[in-house]
Amino acid sequence: MTWDAIRECETRGVRFGAHSLSHPVLSQVSSTSAEQEILGSVQRLKGELRNPSSVFCYPYGLANDFGSREVDILRRGGVSHAVSAMPGVVRPSAEKEAKPQEFPWRIPRFAFDGRPAMTLRQLLIA
């Protein structure tokens, strides 16, 4: 998408969050590069959009793809939450069960494929 197309979507209520500048596996780059990738993408969105989301999506978000270093960078950068690629659902008790200082930056990703048989009850029990 072009920035103009993204800005047009934003006028229609779509929000965009940071994802990194060049899509690296963050745990495999230096601390300086990780900080540039994360904070650079956050700042770019702030410069291009009126109301960017404060939610970050890890470019690769499995357990070994990011860690406490990346969480610290996100926290310093004013990011409120981060979505991982780890499968799962968020239950009301999830925040209490997780490390409280890291939960908002390790939200699992749930893939919904649109199957009619998948009910809200199934989602909550999964």
Side-chain angles (χ1 to χ4, degrees):
M1 294 180 80
T2 65
W3 283 110
D4 287 338
I6 292 170
R7 284 188 282 274
E8 173 63 26
C9 288
E10 188 180 39
T11 67
R12 297 171 187 256
V14 177
R15 300 215 31 223
F16 293 86
H19 187 56
S20 74
L21 292 173
S22 66
H23 212 272
V25 178
L26 292 168
S27 64
Q28 295 179 10
V29 300
S30 70
S31 294
T32 300
S33 292
E35 189 161 327
Q36 290 171 343
E37 288 287 338
I38 293 168
L39 300 181
S41 66
V42 169
Q43 290 305 314
R44 180 75 191 265
L45 285 181
K46 287 180 179 179
E48 295 284 351
L49 303 177
R50 290 182 181 190
N51 190 25
S53 173
S54 64
V55 177
F56 183 85
C57 181
Y58 295 103
Y60 297 89
L62 296 177
N64 293 325
D65 298 333
F66 67 95
S68 58
R69 175 186 74 175
E70 289 73 27
V71 170
D72 289 341
I73 295 168
L74 291 168
R75 189 181 292 123
R76 286 195 323 267
V79 173
S80 65
H81 297 78
V83 178
S84 74
M86 295 180 283
V89 295
V90 177
R91 293 182 176 81
S93 61
E95 190 165 3
K96 294 175 189 169
E97 294 167 2
K99 295 178 183 178
Q101 70 276 19
E102 293 189 0
F103 170 77
W105 296 278
R106 295 180 181 271
I107 297 173
R109 184 176 295 164
F110 175 77
F112 177 66
D113 64 8
R115 288 179 288 153
M118 187 172 277
T119 66
L120 181 59
R121 179 169 162 62
Q122 288 169 309
L123 292 176
L124 294 174
I125 294 173

